[in-house]
Amino acid sequence: MNTFGQIFRLTTFGESHGEAIGGVIDGLPAGIVVDYDFVQNELDRRRPGQSAITTQRRETDKVRFLSGIFEGKSTGTPIAFVIENNDHRSSDYDELREVYRPSHADFTYEKKYGIRDYRGGGRASARVTISRVVAGALAKIALSQVGISIKAYTSQIGTVALNHDYSHYDLKKAEQNSVRCPDEIVAEQMETLLRQLQGEGDTTGGIVSCVIRGCPAGLGEPEFDKLNAALGSAMLSINAAKGFEIGEGWRAASSRGSEMNDSFVKQDAQTDRIGTVTNHSGGIQGGISNGEDIYFNVAFKPIPTLLREQETCDIHGHQTTIKARGRHDVCVVPRAVPIVESMAAMTILDFYLLSKTTMMI
């Protein structure tokens, strides 16, 4: 499946070492003013080579829109776009032509399709996520017009983690350091760990946390299209994502109902707005948004490409060893932050447009 969404839809194409990465966006309402600088800034946040702890592949990641925008506004028709690949070094992967890299998609892709692009992982490469960031940027622009904002940040890298949830931090500070953590002291500890692992040729995982503010009550379906399930599906479609929890998540499993229940109260006498005293549910109850902040965590595994020897086997079943060459991240988390935001934005916009369609019917 190369298409995401029901009304707001993104279809992606391209491989890591192909000519370009691109996509087609359908369902963006007409008349949305496209802030090109904002879109490019979102791409720059995901771009490789942005710091010493990320892959040093040099890509400008300049997006070129081909259709669906006229005089700076969306026309309501499909928006096609491309981002060229310029700095791919396919020769770094020649020795991988007949070898399965541990914990990569080499083996599973070959079993599924009978063929695989071994250059940088081909379609399985995280570079393909650049299309999601373009679509996510446009979704963010559309959502901002109805008062919905989305912000993600790094809450854990390896064993170094924040001690509090999002409400304790100024999330704008997350963009002031290379790991995108809103706590300066913890960010320094994370950077120290990554430099250490970089020197050892090793990698680590981490957690991206995300909060959605201003989401109206009533988005989502009560059975198979629950909003929390859709968000989970979107997040777990990101490369290297291995876990998803919303609200109190796993902590709720060891808690009592008296500790976890969110009591309702009238919050605004003038508008008769009803809200909850606490928000252990993470803004979603019964699969439907309740108007409170939606917050969740996404766990990412360590990048499997190590600059040290690993045991594996080749396509003929012969045991061998492998040591990666080329340019690679130590941890996917800092560059995954804008991708998490993009998937959240696309999901929320899709459900928002679905709710408007249902109301019309």
Side-chain angles (χ1 to χ4, degrees), residues 94-132:
D94 285 345
E95 63 187 36
L96 302 178
R97 184 188 297 267
E98 295 189 343
V99 177
Y100 297 129
R101 294 172 297 172
S103 287
H104 278 274
D106 300 342
F107 177 79
T108 52
Y109 262 57
E110 191 155 300
K111 290 301 178 182
K112 179 175 178 63
Y113 298 106
I115 186 174
R116 66 181 170 92
D117 184 346
Y118 59 86
R119 305 167 304 165
R123 183 70 171 160
S125 170
R127 179 149 182 80
V128 177
T129 60
I130 194 170
S131 297
R132 304 177 183 213

Short mmCIF file of all heavy atoms in Angstrom, two decimals, residues 94-132:
data_model
loop_
_atom_site.label_atom_id
_atom_site.label_comp_id
_atom_site.label_asym_id
_atom_site.label_seq_id
_atom_site.Cartn_x
_atom_site.Cartn_y
_atom_site.Cartn_z
N ASP A 94 27.66 -1.80 -2.96
CA ASP A 94 27.92 -2.88 -3.92
C ASP A 94 28.13 -4.23 -3.25
O ASP A 94 27.66 -5.26 -3.74
CB ASP A 94 29.14 -2.54 -4.78
CG ASP A 94 28.84 -1.47 -5.84
OD1 ASP A 94 27.64 -1.21 -6.08
OD2 ASP A 94 29.79 -0.91 -6.40
N GLU A 95 28.81 -4.22 -2.11
CA GLU A 95 29.11 -5.49 -1.43
C GLU A 95 27.87 -6.09 -0.76
O GLU A 95 27.90 -7.22 -0.29
CB GLU A 95 30.20 -5.27 -0.39
CG GLU A 95 29.80 -4.31 0.73
CD GLU A 95 30.96 -3.99 1.65
OE1 GLU A 95 32.10 -3.89 1.17
OE2 GLU A 95 30.70 -3.84 2.86
N LEU A 96 26.76 -5.34 -0.74
CA LEU A 96 25.54 -5.82 -0.12
C LEU A 96 24.59 -6.47 -1.12
O LEU A 96 23.50 -6.89 -0.75
CB LEU A 96 24.82 -4.67 0.58
CG LEU A 96 25.60 -3.92 1.66
CD1 LEU A 96 24.77 -2.79 2.22
CD2 LEU A 96 26.02 -4.88 2.78
N ARG A 97 25.02 -6.55 -2.36
CA ARG A 97 24.16 -7.09 -3.41
C ARG A 97 23.63 -8.48 -3.07
O ARG A 97 22.48 -8.81 -3.36
CB ARG A 97 24.93 -7.14 -4.73
CG ARG A 97 24.11 -7.58 -5.93
CD ARG A 97 25.03 -7.79 -7.13
NE ARG A 97 25.66 -6.54 -7.52
CZ ARG A 97 25.16 -5.70 -8.44
NH1 ARG A 97 24.02 -5.99 -9.03
NH2 ARG A 97 25.81 -4.60 -8.75
N GLU A 98 24.46 -9.30 -2.42
CA GLU A 98 24.06 -10.68 -2.11
C GLU A 98 24.09 -10.99 -0.62
O GLU A 98 24.13 -12.14 -0.23
CB GLU A 98 24.96 -11.66 -2.86
CG GLU A 98 24.81 -11.58 -4.38
CD GLU A 98 25.54 -12.70 -5.09
OE1 GLU A 98 26.42 -13.34 -4.45
OE2 GLU A 98 25.24 -12.96 -6.27
N VAL A 99 24.03 -9.94 0.21
CA VAL A 99 24.11 -10.14 1.65
C VAL A 99 22.88 -9.53 2.33
O VAL A 99 22.42 -8.45 1.95
CB VAL A 99 25.39 -9.50 2.23
CG1 VAL A 99 25.43 -9.64 3.75
CG2 VAL A 99 26.63 -10.14 1.62
N TYR A 100 22.35 -10.23 3.31
CA TYR A 100 21.22 -9.72 4.08
C TYR A 100 21.74 -8.98 5.31
O TYR A 100 22.39 -9.58 6.18
CB TYR A 100 20.31 -10.85 4.54
CG TYR A 100 19.66 -11.61 3.41
CD1 TYR A 100 19.71 -13.01 3.36
CD2 TYR A 100 18.97 -10.94 2.40
CE1 TYR A 100 19.08 -13.71 2.34
CE2 TYR A 100 18.35 -11.64 1.38
CZ TYR A 100 18.42 -13.02 1.35
OH TYR A 100 17.80 -13.70 0.33
N ARG A 101 21.47 -7.70 5.41
CA ARG A 101 21.90 -6.93 6.58
C ARG A 101 21.00 -7.26 7.77
O ARG A 101 19.77 -7.29 7.64
CB ARG A 101 21.83 -5.44 6.27
CG ARG A 101 22.81 -4.97 5.21
CD ARG A 101 22.54 -3.52 4.82
NE ARG A 101 21.22 -3.38 4.22
CZ ARG A 101 20.66 -2.20 3.93
NH1 ARG A 101 21.29 -1.08 4.21
NH2 ARG A 101 19.46 -2.16 3.37
N PRO A 102 21.60 -7.48 8.95
CA PRO A 102 20.81 -7.81 10.14
C PRO A 102 19.77 -6.73 10.46
O PRO A 102 20.09 -5.54 10.46
CB PRO A 102 21.86 -7.89 11.25
CG PRO A 102 23.13 -8.27 10.54
CD PRO A 102 23.05 -7.54 9.23
N SER A 103 18.54 -7.18 10.70
CA SER A 103 17.43 -6.30 11.11
C SER A 103 17.01 -5.27 10.07
O SER A 103 16.25 -4.35 10.38
CB SER A 103 17.74 -5.60 12.45
OG SER A 103 17.67 -6.54 13.51
N HIS A 104 17.50 -5.40 8.84
CA HIS A 104 17.02 -4.55 7.75
C HIS A 104 15.90 -5.28 7.00
O HIS A 104 15.55 -6.42 7.32
CB HIS A 104 18.17 -4.25 6.77
CG HIS A 104 19.05 -3.12 7.21
ND1 HIS A 104 18.77 -1.81 6.93
CD2 HIS A 104 20.21 -3.13 7.91
CE1 HIS A 104 19.72 -1.04 7.44
NE2 HIS A 104 20.61 -1.82 8.05
N ALA A 105 15.34 -4.62 6.00
CA ALA A 105 14.25 -5.21 5.21
C ALA A 105 14.75 -5.99 4.00
O ALA A 105 13.95 -6.40 3.16
CB ALA A 105 13.29 -4.11 4.75
N ASP A 106 16.07 -6.21 3.90
CA ASP A 106 16.63 -6.91 2.75
C ASP A 106 15.98 -8.28 2.54
O ASP A 106 15.50 -8.60 1.44
CB ASP A 106 18.15 -7.11 2.93
CG ASP A 106 18.90 -5.81 3.06
OD1 ASP A 106 18.34 -4.76 2.69
OD2 ASP A 106 20.05 -5.83 3.54
N PHE A 107 15.97 -9.08 3.59
CA PHE A 107 15.45 -10.45 3.50
C PHE A 107 13.96 -10.47 3.21
O PHE A 107 13.49 -11.18 2.32
CB PHE A 107 15.75 -11.20 4.81
CG PHE A 107 15.19 -12.59 4.86
CD1 PHE A 107 15.82 -13.63 4.21
CD2 PHE A 107 14.02 -12.86 5.55
CE1 PHE A 107 15.30 -14.92 4.24
CE2 PHE A 107 13.49 -14.14 5.59
CZ PHE A 107 14.13 -15.17 4.94
N THR A 108 13.19 -9.67 3.94
CA THR A 108 11.74 -9.71 3.78
C THR A 108 11.29 -9.15 2.43
O THR A 108 10.35 -9.66 1.82
CB THR A 108 11.05 -8.93 4.91
OG1 THR A 108 11.61 -7.61 5.01
CG2 THR A 108 11.22 -9.65 6.24
N TYR A 109 11.96 -8.11 1.94
CA TYR A 109 11.62 -7.58 0.62
C TYR A 109 11.89 -8.61 -0.47
O TYR A 109 11.09 -8.78 -1.40
CB TYR A 109 12.43 -6.31 0.34
CG TYR A 109 11.67 -5.03 0.63
CD1 TYR A 109 11.15 -4.78 1.90
CD2 TYR A 109 11.47 -4.07 -0.34
CE1 TYR A 109 10.46 -3.61 2.19
CE2 TYR A 109 10.78 -2.89 -0.07
CZ TYR A 109 10.27 -2.68 1.20
OH TYR A 109 9.59 -1.52 1.48
N GLU A 110 13.01 -9.29 -0.36
CA GLU A 110 13.34 -10.29 -1.39
C GLU A 110 12.37 -11.46 -1.35
O GLU A 110 11.99 -11.99 -2.39
CB GLU A 110 14.78 -10.77 -1.22
CG GLU A 110 15.27 -11.60 -2.39
CD GLU A 110 16.78 -11.56 -2.53
OE1 GLU A 110 17.35 -10.47 -2.70
OE2 GLU A 110 17.39 -12.65 -2.48
N LYS A 111 11.94 -11.85 -0.16
CA LYS A 111 10.98 -12.93 -0.05
C LYS A 111 9.61 -12.52 -0.59
O LYS A 111 8.89 -13.34 -1.17
CB LYS A 111 10.85 -13.40 1.41
CG LYS A 111 12.07 -14.14 1.93
CD LYS A 111 12.35 -15.38 1.08
CE LYS A 111 13.60 -16.10 1.54
NZ LYS A 111 13.91 -17.28 0.69
N LYS A 112 9.25 -11.27 -0.41
CA LYS A 112 7.94 -10.80 -0.87
C LYS A 112 7.92 -10.55 -2.37
O LYS A 112 6.98 -10.96 -3.06
CB LYS A 112 7.55 -9.51 -0.14
CG LYS A 112 6.20 -8.94 -0.58
CD LYS A 112 5.81 -7.73 0.25
CE LYS A 112 4.47 -7.15 -0.22
NZ LYS A 112 3.35 -8.09 -0.06
N TYR A 113 8.96 -9.88 -2.89
CA TYR A 113 8.94 -9.45 -4.29
C TYR A 113 9.82 -10.27 -5.23
O TYR A 113 9.68 -10.19 -6.45
CB TYR A 113 9.37 -7.98 -4.39
CG TYR A 113 8.45 -7.03 -3.66
CD1 TYR A 113 8.84 -6.45 -2.45
CD2 TYR A 113 7.18 -6.72 -4.16
CE1 TYR A 113 7.99 -5.58 -1.77
CE2 TYR A 113 6.34 -5.86 -3.48
CZ TYR A 113 6.75 -5.29 -2.29
OH TYR A 113 5.92 -4.44 -1.61
N GLY A 114 10.77 -11.04 -4.64
CA GLY A 114 11.69 -11.78 -5.49
C GLY A 114 12.80 -10.93 -6.05
O GLY A 114 13.62 -11.40 -6.84
N ILE A 115 12.84 -9.67 -5.64
CA ILE A 115 13.86 -8.73 -6.08
C ILE A 115 13.93 -7.62 -5.05
O ILE A 115 12.94 -7.33 -4.38
CB ILE A 115 13.53 -8.15 -7.48
CG1 ILE A 115 14.67 -7.28 -8.01
CG2 ILE A 115 12.21 -7.39 -7.45
CD1 ILE A 115 14.46 -6.79 -9.44
N ARG A 116 15.10 -7.01 -4.90
CA ARG A 116 15.22 -5.88 -3.98
C ARG A 116 16.27 -4.91 -4.49
O ARG A 116 17.20 -5.28 -5.21
CB ARG A 116 15.61 -6.37 -2.58
CG ARG A 116 16.99 -7.00 -2.49
CD ARG A 116 17.29 -7.46 -1.06
NE ARG A 116 18.49 -8.28 -0.98
CZ ARG A 116 19.70 -7.79 -0.72
NH1 ARG A 116 19.87 -6.49 -0.52
NH2 ARG A 116 20.74 -8.60 -0.67
N ASP A 117 16.08 -3.66 -4.13
CA ASP A 117 17.04 -2.61 -4.44
C ASP A 117 17.97 -2.52 -3.24
O ASP A 117 17.58 -2.02 -2.18
CB ASP A 117 16.32 -1.29 -4.68
CG ASP A 117 17.25 -0.17 -5.12
OD1 ASP A 117 18.49 -0.33 -4.98
OD2 ASP A 117 16.76 0.87 -5.58
N TYR A 118 19.18 -3.02 -3.37
CA TYR A 118 20.11 -3.06 -2.25
C TYR A 118 20.79 -1.71 -1.99
O TYR A 118 21.48 -1.54 -0.99
CB TYR A 118 21.19 -4.12 -2.51
CG TYR A 118 22.00 -3.87 -3.76
CD1 TYR A 118 23.13 -3.05 -3.74
CD2 TYR A 118 21.63 -4.44 -4.98
CE1 TYR A 118 23.85 -2.80 -4.90
CE2 TYR A 118 22.35 -4.20 -6.13
CZ TYR A 118 23.46 -3.37 -6.08
OH TYR A 118 24.17 -3.12 -7.23
N ARG A 119 20.60 -0.75 -2.87
CA ARG A 119 21.27 0.55 -2.73
C ARG A 119 20.58 1.39 -1.65
O ARG A 119 19.53 1.98 -1.88
CB ARG A 119 21.25 1.31 -4.05
CG ARG A 119 21.84 0.56 -5.24
CD ARG A 119 21.47 1.27 -6.53
NE ARG A 119 20.01 1.40 -6.64
CZ ARG A 119 19.41 2.21 -7.51
NH1 ARG A 119 20.13 2.95 -8.34
NH2 ARG A 119 18.09 2.28 -7.57
N GLY A 120 21.16 1.40 -0.48
CA GLY A 120 20.60 2.20 0.60
C GLY A 120 19.26 1.72 1.10
O GLY A 120 18.55 2.46 1.79
N GLY A 121 18.89 0.51 0.77
CA GLY A 121 17.60 -0.02 1.22
C GLY A 121 16.47 0.20 0.25
O GLY A 121 15.35 -0.28 0.46
N GLY A 122 16.73 0.96 -0.83
CA GLY A 122 15.69 1.17 -1.83
C GLY A 122 14.44 1.81 -1.27
O GLY A 122 14.48 2.85 -0.62
N ARG A 123 13.32 1.18 -1.50
CA ARG A 123 12.03 1.69 -1.04
C ARG A 123 11.89 1.62 0.48
O ARG A 123 11.10 2.36 1.08
CB ARG A 123 10.92 0.88 -1.73
CG ARG A 123 9.50 1.33 -1.42
CD ARG A 123 9.17 2.65 -2.06
NE ARG A 123 7.75 2.97 -1.92
CZ ARG A 123 7.26 4.19 -2.03
NH1 ARG A 123 8.06 5.20 -2.30
NH2 ARG A 123 5.97 4.41 -1.91
N ALA A 124 12.66 0.74 1.12
CA ALA A 124 12.59 0.58 2.57
C ALA A 124 13.40 1.63 3.30
O ALA A 124 13.39 1.68 4.53
CB ALA A 124 13.09 -0.81 2.97
N SER A 125 14.10 2.48 2.58
CA SER A 125 14.93 3.50 3.20
C SER A 125 14.08 4.59 3.86
O SER A 125 13.01 4.96 3.37
CB SER A 125 15.83 4.15 2.14
OG SER A 125 16.48 5.29 2.66
N ALA A 126 14.59 5.14 4.95
CA ALA A 126 13.90 6.24 5.63
C ALA A 126 13.88 7.49 4.76
O ALA A 126 13.10 8.41 5.04
CB ALA A 126 14.58 6.55 6.96
N ARG A 127 14.68 7.54 3.71
CA ARG A 127 14.65 8.71 2.83
C ARG A 127 13.28 8.86 2.17
O ARG A 127 12.86 9.97 1.84
CB ARG A 127 15.75 8.61 1.76
CG ARG A 127 15.73 9.80 0.80
CD ARG A 127 17.06 10.19 0.26
NE ARG A 127 16.95 11.36 -0.61
CZ ARG A 127 16.86 12.61 -0.18
NH1 ARG A 127 16.89 12.85 1.12
NH2 ARG A 127 16.76 13.61 -1.02
N VAL A 128 12.57 7.78 1.99
CA VAL A 128 11.25 7.84 1.36
C VAL A 128 10.27 8.66 2.21
O VAL A 128 9.30 9.21 1.68
CB VAL A 128 10.72 6.41 1.14
CG1 VAL A 128 9.32 6.42 0.55
CG2 VAL A 128 11.66 5.64 0.19
N THR A 129 10.56 8.80 3.51
CA THR A 129 9.65 9.55 4.38
C THR A 129 9.61 11.03 4.05
O THR A 129 8.76 11.76 4.58
CB THR A 129 10.03 9.39 5.86
OG1 THR A 129 11.36 9.88 6.07
CG2 THR A 129 9.96 7.92 6.28
N ILE A 130 10.50 11.49 3.18
CA ILE A 130 10.49 12.91 2.83
C ILE A 130 9.16 13.32 2.20
O ILE A 130 8.69 14.44 2.38
CB ILE A 130 11.68 13.24 1.89
CG1 ILE A 130 11.89 14.74 1.80
CG2 ILE A 130 11.48 12.65 0.50
CD1 ILE A 130 13.17 15.12 1.10
N SER A 131 8.52 12.40 1.48
CA SER A 131 7.21 12.69 0.88
C SER A 131 6.17 12.94 1.96
O SER A 131 5.27 13.78 1.80
CB SER A 131 6.76 11.54 -0.02
OG SER A 131 7.65 11.36 -1.09
N ARG A 132 6.27 12.22 3.06
CA ARG A 132 5.32 12.40 4.16
C ARG A 132 5.46 13.80 4.78
O ARG A 132 4.47 14.38 5.20
CB ARG A 132 5.57 11.35 5.25
CG ARG A 132 5.51 9.91 4.75
CD ARG A 132 5.84 8.96 5.89
NE ARG A 132 5.87 7.57 5.46
CZ ARG A 132 5.50 6.55 6.23
NH1 ARG A 132 5.04 6.77 7.44
NH2 ARG A 132 5.57 5.31 5.78
#
